[in-house]
Amino acid sequence: MPFRPSLALLSAVSSLALLLGPASAQAQATGLPQFNLQRLKLDPAALGSLTVGTGRTLPQGVLRVAVQGHYENLPFLFQTRWEPGGGSGLVENRFTLDVTAAYGVTNWLQLAAEVPYILSQGGERFMNIAPPEGQGMGTPWLGLRTALLRQDFGLQVAADVTAALPVGSKELLARDEYAIHPRLQLGYLAEGWQVGAEAGVLLREKRELTMLSLETKDVIGSEVRLGATVTSRAGDSTRGEVSVLAGLPLDGGRVGAELLLAIRKHALSWLDLYVMGGPGVGAGLDTPTIRFMAGASFSTSKVD
């Protein structure tokens, strides 16, 4: 059955309408500084990795829309050293619905968007601060990617920049005052595999939480963002990927990293199903102990 772009657009519009609906009144004022707790940003084109760019852009006229459910365990936890699965946090469980879309304007120019909605969030009171509980809008991102070097096989290079829209829920720790993320992406594409890497800087306002934890390194702010991925392309219907993400603080915070494994199933020429998950590593207060994601993507043609 051929894929119809109108169906993908209708699905995306319906999902966005749901996301832009009224937030739950259960969200509480917490007295916490305003910042975006969500570290993970998806790659809406998913040309290789679901999270790390490989220097590629969608071909002209190709549209990819994806919907994924996302779970994080202990994404907001004060700790001075990495202790997997230990302790309680102001946010212990967070469930998010993400809708992403990418479109190839030309063979070298791509537009992208990501819109998250927090379905449920809860935690434990800390230092007389109520946990930010409830549901509401996350931070939407808009992105632009330009291919600097594009080959059928071989080296791929692209420049990418994404910017956050300041419309997320402050009460649920889902909004920065401003945030912009420029980065350079490199990749090498072979017939049966590909590798990719990206390096950039996440620029946002510095927020100190030392008044809560009494630790000088409990800071949210700008950081160097690094990523690397290895992806199989050998299977006609199923393939795997391994990705590593790291954040190196520029404002005095703590290092955080994640190892993510994913399996993607080409169910139909226009439909992909996938699961992804893995542990967080490091004592960064916004690094989850583990995250898990499952989703489906719809595209006007098979590109990977």
Side-chain angles (χ1 to χ4, degrees):
M1 175 182 177
F3 175 73
R4 297 181 180 180
S6 59
L7 295 179
L9 289 173
L10 179 60
S11 174
V13 170
S14 300
S15 299
L16 289 173
L18 171 65
L19 297 179
L20 294 172
S24 166
Q26 297 177 9
Q28 303 177 25
T30 65
L32 291 168
Q34 172 188 328
F35 66 95
N36 185 11
L37 181 61
Q38 180 57 261
R39 292 190 61 83
L40 184 68
K41 288 177 71 282
L42 299 171
D43 184 351
L47 291 169
S49 170
L50 296 168
T51 58
V52 179
T54 56
R56 300 166 61 193
T57 57
L58 286 172
Q60 182 175 4
V62 173
L63 170 69
R64 179 185 184 269
V65 177
V67 180
Q68 42 264 316
H70 181 193
Y71 168 73
E72 298 170 85
N73 177 250
L74 287 172
F76 188 14
L77 172 66
F78 292 109
Q79 56 182 348
T80 57
R81 60 184 180 183
W82 183 46
E83 296 177 347
S88 60
L90 273 166
V91 179
E92 294 187 348
N93 299 284
R94 177 186 260 197
F95 295 88
T96 305
L97 177 69
D98 283 282
V99 176
T100 60
Y103 179 73
V105 180
T106 69
N107 284 333
W108 53 270
L109 179 63
Q110 173 186 296
L111 300 179
E114 178 177 356
V115 182
Y117 187 87
I118 300 169
L119 299 173
S120 176
Q121 177 173 291
E124 294 290 333
R125 180 178 291 270
F126 181 83
M127 296 287 289
N128 205 33
I129 296 294
E133 298 179 326
Q135 59 181 211
M137 191 73 183
T139 295
W141 291 81
L142 297 179
L144 177 70
R145 182 178 300 173
T146 302
L148 304 179
L149 177 61
R150 177 175 177 146
Q151 306 180 77
D152 291 336
F153 291 102
L155 184 64
Q156 317 283 320
V157 183
D160 187 287
V161 60
T162 55
L165 301 181
V167 296
S169 170
K170 297 179 182 179
E171 293 81 5
L172 295 178
L173 304 181
R175 177 174 173 175
D176 284 311
E177 194 66 33
Y178 65 87
I180 186 169
H181 186 197
R183 56 197 184 272
L184 181 67
Q185 301 173 336
L186 304 174
Y188 188 88
L189 182 65
E191 187 171 352
W193 53 272
Q194 67 179 328
V195 296
E198 62 179 29
V201 180
L202 174 65
L203 301 171
R204 59 177 175 173
E205 190 170 6
K206 181 179 178 180
R207 298 296 191 186
E208 296 187 4
L209 287 88
T210 56
M211 78 291 280
L212 295 177
S213 66
L214 305 180
E215 292 286 341
T216 58
K217 289 188 176 182
D218 283 333
V219 175
I220 295 291
S222 298
E223 60 184 41
V224 174
R225 289 282 178 93
L226 304 174
T229 187
V230 179
T231 306
S232 168
R233 302 182 71 239
D236 290 333
S237 62
T238 305
R239 72 146 206 246
E241 67 180 71
V242 179
S243 300
V244 178
L245 306 173
L248 310 179
L250 298 175
D251 289 327
R254 301 179 189 273
V255 175
E258 294 185 61
L259 172 64
L260 298 172
L261 309 178
I263 298 176
R264 188 182 305 188
K265 171 73 172 180
H266 295 303
L268 298 169
S269 62
W270 51 269
L271 173 64
D272 275 7
L273 306 175
Y274 48 88
V275 293
M276 179 178 71
V281 180
L285 60 88
D286 59 345
T287 301
T289 298
I290 194 168
R291 73 169 77 244
F292 178 79
M293 179 179 293
S297 66
F298 313 85
S299 59
T300 53
S301 67
K302 182 179 178 180
V303 294
D304 205 22

